[in-house]
């Protein structure tokens, strides 16, 4: 279990390994192949196994590399196009490695009513990226999200899977601290 | 001296520091030699007071909130363990007016018990509905749910008993119960609060549904944005299996019911029941044509009862107390209670379970305390991103499915998002179209193309580019989306757009009142 740097709390739901940066290409493909084998071993026999498999892969790697498609397709007896279609359909599945810190900002109505648009403008300026972008140095990725179920404590944000509520611009700066640089 | 303190594990409470407060309480207690027991409960629903901690005293549970780590030493100094006075003290939790004036049926235990303690659950009337159901025939269970007047809480308000009867009457070797825990509607969090605060009531409701329709397997399709709910459900399911509540021999009855949680992947349309079934089957979440209805041919083509979390969680009390008890609450054809979710720009956001018939005004002012910013409220959006905007002049509208439909609005899942007078309603209308474009499953043109066109047309309108023409195009587009979309994503996105146009034409730069129209008829 990983710990959030700011709060010392455990982080759930986020990815375990931040992409495969810093590895050589062969090391990376071996790591990916092993991840896929583990995911298939754990889930391939379940009915409707594809989403659990993709979640397991993304949980370990932080994203779903293209090269996993053939092995998953073979294991589930589906076409590669079907697997690729599923990966691209769902907003959760990332086809690029995310930055080391993953920031998700709620853009939905209740958060808008409490200043989410201004917060979004601040966050983009502070991080130097727009939604759906990863900064060139790989430090941080910014994604929009449409409701985190925290609408009475708006605006809501998640940072590496941990959710924060009533986040204003100063609060956001405290939360990211220096971790995005 | 031994002290027991409840600190919520609810995701909202955690998002504003409940974990850190729990740690600080433990540290202070240790430093002062106080023997402390911390119970991580669900939230009482007074979310503006979170983290709200409760100390168990002879006079009942005493509430303090919102507590920050910095407050903890002073709370101990004041005599927290005895429920002593402190600026953050609200007295007995259940006497706080916000809570005391609610009618908690479905949420009776949420915030009260340890969510993963089956002992606690049974001590608070848990499993009584299931025991009653085990003594009934499937047809009798279906009849009780029918008689209760319970309608689906996921949005469409379809009578649950009728759906279950269809599943029961469709012969098949395998049937399923699927819980729709996708809760994609923005401004809503009641499903989350049940799952995090009282998971056994959902499990119990699903087992009863299984007994009623003849299903032995249940799935909970849970949105990926709710990792806390996933953790609580997994823990509760394991406890229920261990105790023989779930599994091959439900409470020694010889009846089987198994249950599994499946995690979604961030798609709003997967809350639509047929897209949800596609997703459970491991495919893209594309809406299916109907017929057949899922009740006849659902998951893997088998008869399937798909129900919302709150619908299923309302079933145990119906079986326990009887259909009449539930039916007697409410107004008109809206029976029972709804867990309203007060969100957005309100001083006191949270969850309020009340019988149908309560007015928007009561919810927004008596409970919600008016806006958080202190400015006048201008509009509310009820029922999620596909719900109409209701202007302040209509705040006396009672929360009742039919009363809302008559106004071209919906109650939906009961989310109420408030906006003060700084809101730009043209921007909200544009957002509604943008959201539809982002989340469209792409199966039908009016939605896939229409929503993107809608954004463009609103942009042109706001830029002052031939406004009359744009307005006519926008209206046409709304009509087409409403009439020709396969599901309510495309079919109801016009609701927020048209209601914004009707009630707030000035925000679109329209000054001529004659150019506006009334909103369309209710959801079919
Ligand atoms: C676009 C769209 C999204 C929906 N999202 C949800 C949802 O998140 N949760 C839910 O319970 N129902 C949702 N519904 C309604 C379901 O299709 C279905 O009516 C409901 O799950 C049935 O359960 P109920 O009768 O208990 O409400 C959605 C419908 C549409 C058209
Ligand atoms: S209305 Fe939109 S979401 Fe619904 S089926 Fe058509 S394209 Fe898909
Ligand atoms: S609208 Fe932002 S958390 Fe619900």
């Amino acid at each position: 279990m990983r710990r959030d740097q700011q709060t010392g709390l455990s982080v759930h739901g986020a990815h375990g390994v931040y992409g495969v940066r810093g590895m050589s290409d062969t090391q990376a493909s071996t790591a990916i192949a092993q991840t896929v084998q583990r995911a298939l071993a754990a889930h391939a026999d379940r009915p409707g196994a594809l989403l659990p498999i993709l979640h397991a892969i993304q949980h370990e790697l932080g994203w779903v590399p293209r090269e996993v498609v053939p092995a998953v397709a073979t294991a589930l007896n589906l076409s590669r196009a079907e697997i690729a279609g599923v990966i691209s359909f769902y907003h959760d599945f990332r086809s690029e490695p995310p930055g080391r810190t993953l920031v998700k900002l709620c853009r939905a109505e209740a958060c808008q009513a409490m200043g989410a648009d201004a917060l979004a403008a601040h966050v983009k300026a502070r991080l130097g990226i727009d939604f759906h972008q990863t900064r060139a140095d790989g430090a941080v990725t910014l994604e929009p999200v449409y409701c985190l179920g925290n609408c009475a404590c708006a605006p809501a944000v998640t940072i590496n899977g941990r959710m924060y509520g009533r986040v204003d611009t100063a609060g956001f700066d405290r939360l990211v601290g220096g971790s995005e640089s | 001296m031994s002290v027991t303190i409840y600190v919520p594990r609810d995701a909202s409470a955690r998002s504003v520091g409940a974990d850190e407060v729990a740690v600080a309480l433990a540290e202070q207690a240790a430093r002062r030699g106080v023997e402390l027991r911390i119970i991580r409960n669900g939230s009482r629903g007074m979310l503006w007071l979170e983290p709200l901690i409760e100390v168990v005293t002879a006079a009942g549970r005493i509430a303090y909130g919102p507590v920050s780590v910095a407050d903890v030493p002073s709370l101990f100094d004041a005599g927290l363990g005895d429920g002593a006075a402190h600026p953050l003290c609200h007295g007995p939790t259940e006497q706080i007016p916000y809570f005391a004036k609610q009618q908690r049926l479905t949420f009776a235990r949420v915030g009260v018990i340890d969510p993963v303690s089956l002992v606690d659950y049974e001590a608070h009337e848990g499993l009584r509905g299931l025991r009653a159901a085990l003594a009934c025939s499937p047809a009798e269970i279906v009849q009780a749910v029918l008689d209760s007047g319970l309608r689906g809480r996921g949005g469409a308000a379809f009578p649950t008993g009728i759906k279950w009867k269809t599943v029961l009457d469709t012969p098949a070797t395998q049937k399923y119960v699927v819980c729709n825990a996708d809760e994609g509607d923005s401004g809503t969090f009641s499903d989350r609060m049940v799952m995090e605060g009282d998971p056994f009531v959902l499990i119990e409701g699903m087992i009863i549904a299984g007994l009623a329709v003849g299903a032995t397997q249940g799935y909970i399709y849970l949105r990926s944005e709710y990792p806390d709910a996933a953790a609580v459900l997994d823990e509760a399911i394991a406890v229920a299996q261990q105790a023989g509540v779930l599994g091959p021999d439900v409470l020694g009855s010889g009846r089987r019911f198994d249950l599994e949680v499946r995690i979604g992947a961030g798609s709003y349309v997967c809350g639509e029941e047929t897209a949800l079934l596609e997703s459970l089957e491991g495919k893209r979440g594309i809406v299916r044509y109907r017929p057949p209805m899922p009740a006849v041919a659902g998951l893997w083509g088998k008869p399937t009862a798909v129900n919302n979390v709150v619908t299923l969680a309302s079933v145990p009390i119906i079986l326990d107390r009887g259909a009449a008890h539930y039916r007697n609450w409410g107004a008109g054809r809206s029976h029972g209670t709804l867990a309203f979710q007060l969100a957005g720009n309100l001083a006191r956001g949270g969850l309020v379970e009340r019988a149908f018939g309560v007015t928007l005004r009561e919810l927004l002012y008596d409970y919600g305390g008016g806006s958080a910013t202190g400015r006048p409220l201008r509009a509310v959006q009820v029922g999620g991103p596909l719900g109409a905007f209701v202007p302040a002049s209509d705040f006396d509208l009672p929360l009742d499915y039919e009363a809302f439909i008559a106004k071209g609005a919906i109650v939906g899942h009961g989310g109420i998002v408030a906006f003060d007078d700084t809101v730009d309603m043209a921007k909200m209308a544009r957002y509604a179209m943008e959201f539809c474009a982002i989340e469209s499953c792409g199966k039908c043109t009016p939605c896939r193309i229409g929503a993107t066109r809608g954004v463009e047309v609103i942009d042109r309108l706001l830029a002052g580019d031939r406004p009359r023409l744009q307005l006519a195009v926008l209206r046409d587009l709304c009509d087409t989306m409403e009439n020709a979309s396969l599901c309510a994503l495309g079919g109801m996105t016009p609701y927020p757009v048209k209601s914004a146009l009707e009630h707030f034409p000035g925000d679109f730069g329209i000054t001529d009142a004659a150019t506006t129209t009334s909103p369309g008829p209710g959801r079919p």
Side-chain angles (χ1 to χ4, degrees):
Chain A
M1 189 174 286
R2 292 184 313 106
R3 304 239 150 227
D4 183 281
Q5 287 182 350
Q6 267 70 46
T7 62
L9 284 160
S10 61
V11 174
H12 11 184
H15 34 276
V17 180
Y18 295 105
V20 284
R21 287 173 203 281
M23 289 189 194
S24 73
D25 285 355
T26 8
Q27 281 173 326
S29 1
T30 315
I32 290 169
Q34 285 169 350
T35 296
V36 173
Q37 286 320 312
R38 270 194 296 275
L40 290 174
H43 304 291
D45 293 338
R46 302 166 77 185
L50 184 51
L51 260 64
I53 289 170
L54 295 176
H55 272 307
I57 292 171
Q58 178 150 309
H59 185 78
E60 281 197 25
L61 301 176
W63 61 304
V64 183
R66 252 189 119 71
E67 60 189 280
V68 309
V69 171
V72 175
T74 308
L76 297 186
N77 201 15
L78 293 168
S79 75
R80 292 176 187 199
E82 281 171 291
I83 309 288
V86 168
I87 295 171
S88 67
F89 179 84
Y90 292 98
H91 300 307
D92 274 4
F93 298 128
R94 230 172 270 117
S95 301
E96 302 284 333
R100 290 183 292 279
T101 296
L102 175 58
V103 176
K104 295 190 185 188
L105 211 78
C106 178
R107 289 195 56 207
E109 292 90 340
C111 287
Q112 287 182 42
M114 291 301 279
D117 287 351
L119 180 64
H122 171 82
V123 167
K124 289 178 191 176
R126 159 98 202 207
L127 302 180
I129 42 175
D130 206 335
F131 285 123
H132 303 293
Q133 291 183 349
T134 298
R135 211 162 65 194
D137 63 2
V140 59
T141 297
L142 179 62
E143 290 178 357
V145 51
Y146 298 89
C147 193
L148 293 160
N150 200 17
C151 335
C153 295
V157 169
T158 72
I159 299 175
N160 289 341
R162 180 168 164 82
M163 181 163 71
Y164 300 91
R166 301 177 195 144
V167 180
D168 55 14
T169 52
F172 180 81
D173 290 348
R174 271 196 306 278
L175 287 173
V176 293
S179 73
E180 94 283 21
S181 51
Chain B
M1 188 186 74
S2 159
V3 177
T4 301
I5 300 183
Y6 286 83
V7 183
R9 63 184 289 178
D10 174 276
S12 265
R14 293 188 64 231
S15 83
V16 291
D19 288 352
E20 292 84 343
V21 168
V23 171
L25 286 167
E27 278 170 8
Q28 276 295 320
R31 193 169 302 166
R32 294 168 191 246
V34 177
E35 196 186 312
L36 176 65
R37 178 170 172 237
I38 291 179
I39 299 174
R40 301 302 300 266
N41 57 338
S43 168
R44 293 278 195 164
M46 295 179 277
L47 294 170
W48 84 97
L49 290 178
E50 294 291 359
L52 178 133
I53 68 171
E54 295 174 80
V55 182
V56 179
T57 74
R61 283 158 67 164
I62 307 294
Y64 297 84
V67 176
S68 71
V69 170
D71 298 318
V72 170
S74 78
L75 284 167
F76 274 93
D77 290 344
L80 167 82
D82 305 317
H86 184 279
L88 295 179
C89 182
H90 302 277
T93 315
E94 296 187 357
Q95 289 173 25
I96 300 174
Y98 195 95
F99 190 87
K101 290 192 301 174
Q102 297 193 30
Q103 288 136 1
R104 290 216 167 185
L105 303 183
T106 306
F107 280 72
R109 278 172 298 261
V110 174
V112 176
I113 63 169
D114 175 350
V116 289
S117 163
L118 195 56
V119 176
D120 240 11
Y121 183 65
E122 284 202 73
H124 288 80
E125 306 185 1
L127 296 184
R128 284 171 36 167
L130 176 55
R131 292 208 163 88
L134 283 167
C136 295
S137 70
E140 286 167 342
I141 304 175
V142 169
Q143 194 61 45
V145 172
L146 204 56
D147 292 344
S148 74
L150 178 65
R151 292 162 71 178
R153 301 297 188 232
F158 187 80
T160 306
I162 294 179
K163 186 185 291 184
W164 288 14
K165 187 166 172 13
T166 308
V167 183
L168 173 63
D169 291 345
T170 307
T173 48
Q174 176 72 56
K175 300 179 185 180
Y176 297 101
V177 174
V178 170
C179 171
N180 187 340
D182 200 52
E183 194 157 66
D185 284 353
S186 46
T188 71
F189 44 84
S190 58
D191 294 349
R192 180 182 66 67
M193 285 188 56
V194 173
M195 294 185 283
E196 291 174 1
D198 192 13
F200 291 121
V201 80
L202 173 59
I203 294 171
E204 185 179 348
M206 289 188 72
I207 302 172
I208 295 171
L211 296 172
V213 304
T216 54
Q217 175 69 48
Y219 289 99
I220 299 173
Y221 184 89
L222 176 68
R223 69 199 302 246
S224 61
E225 291 84 350
Y226 286 178
D228 288 24
V232 178
L233 285 171
D234 281 345
E235 204 175 332
I237 287 171
V239 169
Q241 282 166 343
Q242 196 74 39
V245 174
L246 283 170
D249 186 17
V250 171
L251 291 178
S253 65
R255 315 282 291 275
R256 170 170 216 115
F257 195 77
D258 296 308
L259 185 54
E260 201 183 300
V261 177
R262 288 293 177 97
I263 307 294
S267 157
Y268 176 72
V269 77
C270 285
E272 194 283 334
E273 57 188 4
T274 62
L276 184 155
L277 295 172
E278 291 287 301
S279 184
L280 265 181
E281 292 180 8
K283 305 178 201 152
R284 295 183 300 152
I286 308 277
V287 173
R288 293 179 184 171
Y289 289 108
R290 326 175 218 214
M293 303 301 281
V296 174
L299 190 59
W300 291 296
K302 303 295 184 197
T304 305
V306 184
N307 280 112
N308 171 257
V309 173
V310 175
T311 311
L312 291 162
S314 299
V315 166
I317 197 170
I318 291 169
L319 269 291
D320 177 23
R321 305 252 183 108
H325 176 261
Y326 193 82
R327 186 184 183 87
N328 287 339
W329 297 95
R333 291 201 285 125
S334 305
H335 298 284
T337 58
L338 190 61
F340 298 102
Q341 299 125 83
L342 304 185
N345 197 334
L346 288 175
R348 298 194 295 258
L351 181 130
V352 176
E353 184 175 356
R354 282 283 309 257
F356 286 95
V358 59
T359 66
L360 272 174
R361 190 176 303 284
E362 277 177 270
L363 290 170
L364 294 170
Y365 294 96
D366 296 358
Y367 290 90
S371 76
T373 44
R375 305 183 64 94
L377 291 179
R378 187 167 186 232
V380 295
Q381 187 176 29
V382 185
L386 310 178
F389 288 100
V390 180
S393 54
D394 282 340
F395 283 176
D396 288 314
L397 205 58
L399 273 298
D400 160 338
Y401 293 124
E402 278 68 39
F404 263 62
I405 287 172
K407 280 273 183 190
I410 55 159
V411 172
H413 190 46
I416 300 176
V417 177
F419 298 86
D420 73 10
D421 62 352
T422 62
V423 66
D424 176 350
M425 295 305 296
K427 198 169 131 195
M428 299 314 297
R430 184 190 189 279
Y431 172 81
M433 285 290 190
E434 188 192 358
F435 180 74
C436 181
I438 294 169
E439 298 297 337
S440 170
C441 84
K443 186 153 179 162
C444 47
T445 336
C447 170
R448 189 184 67 236
I449 312 285
T452 305
R453 282 278 285 142
V455 175
E456 293 164 3
V457 173
I458 294 175
D459 280 344
R460 275 190 221 122
L461 179 63
L462 296 181
D465 172 5
R466 290 161 297 163
R468 271 182 186 278
L469 172 68
Q470 308 307 344
L471 212 53
V473 173
L474 184 58
R475 291 230 175 78
D476 262 8
L477 201 58
C478 283
D479 285 347
T480 310
M481 287 175 74
E482 239 178 281
N483 297 324
S485 294
L486 183 57
C487 86
L489 180 46
M492 285 176 52
T493 291
Y495 280 37
V497 177
K498 285 168 53 172
S499 56
L501 259 177
E502 187 199 20
H503 301 297
F504 307 98
D507 290 22
F508 295 80
I510 303 163
T511 43
D512 177 1
T515 57
T516 63
T517 58
S518 64
R523 180 179 196 156

